[in-house]
Amino acid sequence: MSMAVASLRFLARRRHQLRLAVPGTRAAFLSDTAEEAPQAAPPPPGRKVLESFREEFEIGGRLIAFETGKMARFANGSVVISMEDTNVLSTVAAAKSSDPVRDFLPLTVDYQEKQYAQGVIPTTYMRREGAPKERELLCGRLIDRPIRPLFPRGFYHEVQITVNVLSSDGKQDPDVMAANASSAALMLSDVPWNGPIGVIRVGRIDGNFVLNPTVDELGLSDLNLVYACSRDKTLMIDVQAREITERDLQAGMKLAHSEAVKYIDPQIRLAKRAGKEKREYKLSMISDENYEKIRTLSEAPIEEVFTDKSYGKFERGEALQKITESVKEKLEEECDEESLKFLPKAVDTVRKQVIRKRIIKEGLRVDGRRLDEVRPLYCESSTYPILHGSALFSRGDTQVLCTVTLGAPGDAQRLDSIVGPPTKRFMLHYSFPPFSINEVAKRGGLNRREVGHGTLAEKALLAVLPPEGDFPYTVRVNSEVMASDGSTSMASVCGGSMALMDAGIPVREHVAGVSVGLVSETDPTTGDISSYRILTDILGLEDHLGDMDFKIAGTRRGITAIQLDIKPAGIPLDIVCESLEPARKARNQILDRMDQEISSARAINDGSSPRLATLSFSSDSVRKLLFHRKKIEQDTGARVSVSDGTVTIVAKTQPIMDKAIEKVEFLVGREIEVGKTYKGIVSSIKEYGAFVDFNGGQQGLLHISELSHEPVSKVTDIISVGQALSLTCIGQDVRGNIKLSLKANLPHPHRPEKELASEDATLLPNQDLVGWAAVENMPSKDADVKSSNSKDEDDTTEETPAFSTPAVIIRSAADCDAQDVANGPTKKRSKAASSKVAKPSPRVSKPTKEQQEARKATPKKSASNGLDKGKADDSASNGLDAIPEQEISNTLKHSSPKNFRSGSIKLGDVVTAKVYQIRAYGLVLELSDGVRGMHKFVENSQNNFEVGEEVLVKCDTFSAKGVPVFSVLD
């Protein structure tokens, strides 16, 4: 063991002595006392200079700048565009070689909006951005559409444009800035491209056009025009408008063209200063000799196919495919590998030339229609009545099924864009399944084409939707393409408009859309268009072989949406403006046919349309609902959304709606109204009644006299704790205490003609009544003698008070106990005191032994009232009659003697009263403070009384309305 330790110590000393020399020299062994050679300090890093180039210019009163050389220096081309505090970076990268069998341009545009640009952390679980959102896909399409036509023919190298929003002030929409930055980046790169372009946004506020409007200004604008162009031709148009006329739109496009070209010169100047020289990329072009060979073999049979009007879409496609196969066999026999490589593209070019020649020279279209003729239409609304709204629209072979689903405001789509509104309550989702063109394909996620077509139809219909205040539903339209043969997006507009009316949405009028095409010939020497034909309602084949797909949607009043896509390197603006008129005529023809099917919105509650209810609560009350909203939705099947004190409920049927409202009101509570019925649950039972929880945690008293029209001796005979009841509010006092009635919701039994209600009417002239609350020891054993009178009194009909805020004195058991303590111990009346009948003050008698035992058996506490949870004296108690406020004030003016107050009289109390009126069946008695009660005559008794006479009486019981019933003491 000691030898191992010694070996370790030796190795440690050896390692300490061993020193390595500078790399390239031999190792040196130094002793422990040798001094190490000093090492030289590393040189400080140099200062790197980033050479950047900047071009500034002004459009519409706003300063704009292009800058390069500072960001993304390795990219083939990179530019940062700035407008105020919004900065957007665009970069370009291109592959050095292309796929030899590729016959298209693989251009990819990736637009990204990360939340750091607005100083926000993403709210996703991973706290980072996920898949591209709809807005990012749409902005990518906005950049792609004007750029793609300017790449040279045969350039099939992969090109990727990546756009990042570096910072945003929320004022400017970065999409137009990104398109201009991408144009500048392509100018700086070595990629062959026939740019630059200028892109600008134009709005219109109060009839005046606004250049590059802010996001806030767009909210006030009735026009959102995005216009892209080269120096003399139009490349792309995207419009969302509120029924703008064709004439006003033309004026806006001409202004946009004159301002958009101002973006071009700064890009050219920047490219001269910092741009790269264009490289020689290999173009995939077929030789003229090989093309002529293929054209000679295929042109004649192709012409025969297109002159035969009997061919349908798929029959025509099969015939053309047979022609291609026959040409391929002949080329294989000749072993012409070069021609075989370009055969599909060459046959497509021949087909294109044949069709274009027939249209321009002869004015004949593929299906034999005239140039301005619309295909046959088929319209059907309420295709599936079980849905909220549905419609089927067909134009020729193009068929679209549109459905509408209504939801609560909380179902609105949440948008995470750095600009624009946070939510969207109207959505149109376009779906293009593979079976619609008889193909086999895998369904993926968000498709750029589907998102673009759906957004176009959505913008077209948005202009006629009612305001959110008038129609608070969230609306989702699904457009399912059943068959496609051109312009399915415009068919979605027509079908969606009919489906909205079928769903009962009060849209102002129908919206229809149509696609206009262009076939042109150009001068080989100048490149200008020498002749052209405008086609209305183009087929899918005409779209593929034509020069333009001009989608225009609107009402009879004007245009609501436009999307222009072109294939050549620009179209003159005059031709674009000329296309608006045939589109308007075709649109009106389609609107006429749609009006024949359905011309106005159906009733919202017809069929299976959902019901919507909006309830308003205080913010504190709504907090209770936030924790129970999911439970209510699971129990009822309704959709509940909560926001800013407003609760919106959407249900499929009225019973579901009623059930959901009942649960919400029970949980949250509503403002209590006299005469309204509420659902409640019995929380506790007393001898004199029961306390009921209802209306969102509030509490009221159900007195024993309000349980049934028949006399009730025991509360538990009728109800039990936890039982759900339907109760009517019959009164409230000035403090908000509530009294409830069960018998008000029960059928009234047959009553004899001789009632004591007439006596109650005499007791209460002009509804002036002051009542008392029954106490916790009621009924007492002493009242059994008068049980028959009490029964008759309880049988009287009690009507619900008609006033909205009645004053009711309601006291709980705790209130009564507190009153006893305040009054002090009662003393036994002496005979001398009883003889002083002239003294008007009432006297309180000592309670009997039975009454004391009953009081001891009664709990001293009761549930507090939900209207004022902070005060125990606001607890609900047994119910009494309503007291007008004027009578309360009059009662308070009377100074009661000590140990007596109005409303504090209890069973067994002995007081002095004055005979107010003598009736056939009893006396109307008046106490010292104006309070009135009654005494009922007993058979075979002496009834020698005079008006004004003072008598000594004892409180035996109370009527159903709280009127005290006295017995006269000898």
Side-chain angles (χ1 to χ4, degrees):
M1 181 62 122
S2 60
M3 293 182 62
V5 172
S7 300
L8 291 174
R9 289 176 179 175
F10 174 77
L11 291 175
R13 288 197 302 270
R14 184 81 173 176
R15 187 181 301 113
H16 179 70
Q17 293 176 355
L18 182 62
R19 297 291 185 269
L20 296 179
V22 180
T25 63
R26 63 187 181 87
F29 294 92
L30 302 178
S31 64
D32 292 340
T33 59
E35 296 182 357
E36 296 183 3
Q39 295 182 357
R47 183 179 296 275
K48 184 176 180 63
V49 178
L50 298 179
E51 184 180 10
S52 62
F53 302 90
R54 186 180 181 89
E55 287 290 337
E56 295 183 350
F57 55 100
E58 186 175 329
I59 295 179
R62 291 182 171 85
L63 184 63
I64 305 172
F66 289 119
E67 185 179 12
T68 186
K70 186 177 180 180
M71 295 282 187
R73 297 169 62 88
F74 280 178
N76 202 327
S78 66
V79 169
V80 175
I81 186 172
S82 304
M83 184 185 299
E84 297 181 359
D85 290 330
T86 301
N87 296 271
V88 181
L89 168 66
S90 180
T91 61
V92 174
K96 299 300 185 291
S97 60
S98 65
D99 191 338
V101 299
R102 186 182 294 150
D103 59 352
F104 66 96
L105 171 64
L107 173 63
T108 304
V109 180
D110 293 325
Y111 175 90
Q112 296 178 339
E113 286 182 349
K114 295 190 176 181
Q115 295 299 313
Y116 71 79
Q118 59 175 345
V120 174
I121 296 176
T123 58
T124 59
Y125 179 77
M126 298 299 295
R127 294 299 185 268
R128 63 186 302 160
E129 290 77 13
K133 299 182 287 292
E134 285 189 13
R135 171 177 163 80
E136 292 175 329
L137 297 178
L138 293 173
C139 291
R141 281 174 54 89
L142 193 72
I143 299 169
D144 182 295
R145 286 158 52 194
I147 287 176
R148 184 179 293 271
L150 298 182
F151 284 93
R153 289 182 57 191
F155 179 76
Y156 299 147
H157 293 255
E158 190 172 1
V159 179
Q160 184 178 27
I161 298 176
T162 305
V163 181
N164 291 278
V165 180
L166 303 179
S167 67
S168 173
D169 57 6
K171 298 178 181 179
Q172 292 291 333
D173 195 326
D175 55 355
V176 170
M177 299 174 60
N180 287 292
S182 300
S183 173
L186 284 170
M187 291 293 295
L188 296 177
S189 70
D190 61 8
V191 178
W193 187 65
N194 300 321
I197 65 171
V199 186
I200 194 170
R201 173 175 272 112
V202 177
R204 190 178 69 165
I205 303 176
D206 297 330
N208 299 319
F209 291 108
V210 181
L211 300 175
N212 288 328
T214 63
V215 175
D216 294 336
E217 289 173 338
L218 279 177
L220 304 174
S221 174
D222 62 353
L223 173 65
N224 184 1
L225 166 64
V226 179
Y227 184 88
C229 65
S230 60
R231 196 175 293 275
D232 56 352
K233 293 182 180 180
T234 301
L235 292 169
M236 186 270 298
I237 299 175
D238 197 278
V239 173
Q240 179 181 358
R242 299 174 187 170
E243 297 176 292
I244 187 172
T245 63
E246 283 78 5
R247 181 178 179 181
D248 292 343
L249 181 60
Q250 291 181 30
M253 290 190 295
K254 291 178 180 179
L255 174 64
H257 189 99
S258 62
E259 295 294 329
V261 294
K262 296 180 181 179
Y263 283 94
I264 294 177
D265 290 335
Q267 297 180 50
I268 295 175
R269 293 195 300 266
L270 187 65
K272 289 181 179 179
R273 297 172 57 190
K276 299 178 181 178
E277 184 178 356
K278 299 299 181 182
R279 286 183 54 186
E280 292 293 335
Y281 285 85
K282 181 180 180 181
L283 302 181
S284 299
M285 301 288 291
I286 186 173
S287 63
D288 295 338
E289 180 182 354
N290 292 333
Y291 174 74
E292 286 297 327
K293 180 187 294 187
I294 296 174
R295 187 184 67 81
T296 304
L297 296 174
S298 61
E299 185 176 23
I302 289 177
E303 287 181 350
E304 293 180 2
V305 171
F306 286 111
T307 54
D308 190 350
K309 299 180 182 179
S310 62
Y311 279 113
K313 176 180 179 178
F314 294 104
E315 292 81 3
R316 189 184 301 113
E318 292 176 359
L320 293 174
Q321 182 63 31
K322 291 180 180 179
I323 294 173
T324 304
E325 293 294 333
S326 64
V327 174
K328 181 180 179 180
E329 293 177 358
K330 295 178 180 179
L331 294 177
E332 288 176 348
E333 293 176 357
E334 299 177 2
C335 299
D336 191 347
E337 297 294 336
E338 186 69 18
S339 298
L340 286 172
K341 186 169 61 174
F342 295 99
L343 176 62
K345 187 69 174 178
V347 171
D348 185 71
T349 303
V350 174
R351 180 178 58 175
K352 179 178 179 180
Q353 290 181 349
V354 169
I355 297 175
R356 295 168 67 92
K357 180 180 177 181
R358 281 173 49 84
I359 293 175
I360 292 177
K361 301 296 184 182
E362 304 175 18
L364 298 177
R365 301 178 65 171
V366 174
D367 56 354
R369 283 182 294 145
R370 294 185 305 176
L371 299 181
D372 59 350
E373 184 178 352
V374 179
R375 287 174 287 176
L377 303 176
Y378 175 81
C379 300
E380 178 183 289
S381 62
S382 193
T383 305
Y384 299 103
I386 192 64
L387 304 179
H388 297 171
S390 60
L392 184 66
F393 180 84
S394 297
R395 184 196 293 121
D397 290 333
T398 297
Q399 186 183 65
V400 172
L401 172 67
C402 290
T403 62
V404 172
T405 307
L406 303 179
D411 295 329
Q413 181 182 359
R414 296 182 180 180
L415 306 176
D416 294 331
S417 173
I418 61 177
V419 294
T423 59
K424 183 171 67 171
R425 74 182 185 100
F426 176 68
M427 302 159 281
L428 193 148
H429 296 156
Y430 170 95
S431 178
F432 191 90
F435 67 79
S436 63
I437 52 175
N438 196 26
E439 289 185 357
V440 178
K442 183 183 294 185
R443 298 289 294 168
L446 284 178
N447 182 279
R448 289 175 182 259
R449 180 180 179 276
E450 291 182 340
V451 172
H453 282 42
T455 302
L456 174 62
E458 179 182 298
K459 292 189 294 186
L461 295 173
L462 191 61
V464 298
L465 285 181
E468 186 174 1
D470 299 337
F471 192 80
Y473 288 89
T474 295
V475 182
R476 183 195 185 203
V477 180
N478 278 81
S479 175
E480 304 290 338
V481 178
M482 298 289 107
S484 174
D485 191 13
S487 192
T488 53
S489 61
M490 294 296 96
S492 300
V493 174
C494 302
S497 180
M498 292 193 299
L500 290 174
M501 283 193 177
D502 183 61
I505 300 176
V507 295
R508 188 166 57 254
E509 57 181 312
H510 272 310
V511 182
V514 68
S515 185
V516 177
L518 176 71
V519 175
S520 61
E521 282 187 350
T522 57
D523 190 342
T525 57
T526 61
D528 297 332
I529 296 179
S530 57
S531 61
Y532 63 90
R533 293 288 186 271
I534 296 175
L535 310 180
T536 301
D537 184 21
I538 57 176
L539 297 171
L541 184 60
E542 293 170 337
D543 180 16
H544 173 67
L545 303 177
D547 299 331
M548 176 181 75
D549 184 9
F550 194 13
K551 301 181 179 70
I552 307 170
T555 65
R556 287 187 173 87
R557 299 181 182 182
I559 295 171
T560 59
I562 280 180
Q563 178 176 298
L564 171 65
D565 295 322
I566 64 171
K567 295 182 178 64
I571 295 174
L573 182 58
D574 295 339
I575 297 179
V576 175
C577 294
E578 183 182 348
S579 303
L580 295 176
E581 181 60 22
R584 184 188 65 83
K585 294 180 180 179
R587 184 170 72 245
N588 289 337
Q589 294 176 6
I590 299 171
L591 289 171
D592 292 338
R593 180 63 186 88
M594 293 167 61
D595 284 335
Q596 294 176 9
E597 176 62 25
I598 180 171
S599 58
S600 61
R602 304 187 194 277
I604 189 64
N605 289 331
D606 286 356
S608 61
S609 297
R611 277 67 172 169
L612 183 143
T614 302
L615 310 176
S616 297
F617 301 96
S618 63
S619 300
D620 294 336
S621 300
V622 169
R623 291 194 187 101
K624 304 177 185 178
L625 191 61
L626 295 176
F627 302 98
H628 302 277
R629 181 174 61 88
K630 293 294 184 183
K631 183 71 166 75
I632 294 176
E633 291 181 345
Q634 293 175 1
D635 293 344
T636 63
R639 300 291 295 272
V640 181
S641 61
V642 183
S643 62
D644 299 333
T646 301
V647 178
T648 305
I649 305 173
V650 176
K652 291 183 177 180
T653 60
Q654 192 62 41
I656 295 177
M657 172 63 72
D658 295 339
K659 186 177 180 181
I661 292 177
E662 176 184 329
K663 286 184 174 292
V664 169
E665 290 186 348
F666 181 82
L667 183 65
V668 179
R670 301 285 291 170
E671 183 179 354
I672 298 175
E673 300 178 11
V674 175
K676 187 174 181 180
T677 302
Y678 298 89
K679 299 290 185 179
I681 297 177
V682 179
S683 59
S684 62
I685 294 179
K686 309 297 180 184
E687 293 183 8
Y688 50 82
F691 289 98
V692 180
D693 292 332
F694 75 108
N695 198 41
Q698 292 176 321
Q699 196 173 70
L701 177 74
L702 176 60
H703 189 251
I704 188 172
S705 62
E706 297 296 333
L707 289 174
S708 174
H709 295 289
E710 302 293 337
V712 178
S713 60
K714 195 174 182 181
V715 178
T716 54
D717 293 342
I718 304 298
I719 59 176
S720 60
V721 175
Q723 182 178 351
L725 302 174
S726 178
L727 305 171
T728 299
C729 176
I730 58 175
Q732 289 178 272
D733 68 4
V734 293
R735 296 179 297 175
N737 298 317
I738 312 162
K739 67 173 186 176
L740 305 171
S741 175
L742 177 62
K743 70 180 184 181
N745 295 331
L746 300 177
H748 204 289
H750 178 71
R751 300 177 60 93
E753 296 182 359
K754 186 176 180 180
E755 299 178 349
L756 293 177
S758 60
E759 296 188 15
D760 289 344
T762 306
L763 289 171
L764 305 175
N766 299 326
Q767 298 291 329
D768 294 336
L769 169 68
V770 178
W772 293 265
V775 293
E776 64 271 18
N777 58 350
M778 170 185 179
S780 65
K781 295 180 180 179
D782 294 343
D784 294 341
V785 180
K786 306 296 181 181
S787 60
S788 60
N789 295 338
S790 300
K791 178 179 180 181
D792 294 340
E793 188 64 26
D794 290 341
D795 286 346
T796 57
T797 303
E798 178 176 343
E799 297 180 358
T800 302
F803 39 84
S804 58
T805 57
V808 178
I809 297 176
I810 299 178
R811 299 186 295 112
S812 65
D815 293 332
C816 296
D817 294 339
Q819 182 66 47
D820 293 339
V821 175
N823 291 339
T826 60
K827 296 181 179 180
K828 185 176 182 180
R829 286 178 48 86
S830 63
K831 295 181 180 179
S834 64
S835 62
K836 299 178 182 179
V837 294
K839 187 173 183 180
S841 61
R843 306 293 180 90
V844 181
S845 64
K846 183 177 180 180
T848 63
K849 183 177 180 180
E850 290 84 357
Q851 293 172 351
Q852 290 179 352
E853 291 176 356
R855 291 186 182 181
K856 291 179 181 179
T858 304
K860 298 296 182 180
K861 295 183 180 180
S862 61
S864 61
N865 194 327
L867 294 176
D868 192 354
K869 298 180 180 179
K871 297 181 180 180
D873 58 356
D874 285 345
S875 305
S877 181
N878 44 340
L880 294 177
D881 288 332
I883 306 171
E885 295 180 3
Q886 181 180 1
E887 185 64 26
I888 293 175
S889 62
N890 295 336
T891 303
L892 295 177
K893 290 180 181 179
H894 293 279
S895 58
S896 301
K898 189 176 181 179
N899 297 336
F900 178 81
R901 293 185 304 171
S902 296
S904 64
I905 192 168
K906 305 180 181 67
L907 294 177
D909 288 349
V910 178
V911 296
T912 300
K914 183 186 294 186
V915 178
Y916 179 82
Q917 190 178 16
I918 300 176
R919 304 283 295 175
Y921 303 100
L923 302 177
V924 178
L925 303 176
E926 186 178 49
L927 303 185
S928 61
D929 54 353
V931 178
R932 295 173 189 172
M934 65 180 178
H935 164 69
K936 298 181 181 180
F937 293 152
V938 182
E939 294 182 2
N940 300 325
S941 64
Q942 295 181 359
N943 301 324
N944 300 325
F945 298 97
E946 295 180 1
V947 176
E949 179 184 358
E950 292 185 345
V951 293
L952 192 65
V953 296
K954 176 184 177 182
C955 180
D956 292 333
T957 184
F958 293 87
S959 73
K961 293 188 176 182
V963 179
V965 181
F966 296 97
S967 62
V968 179
L969 301 179
D970 295 335

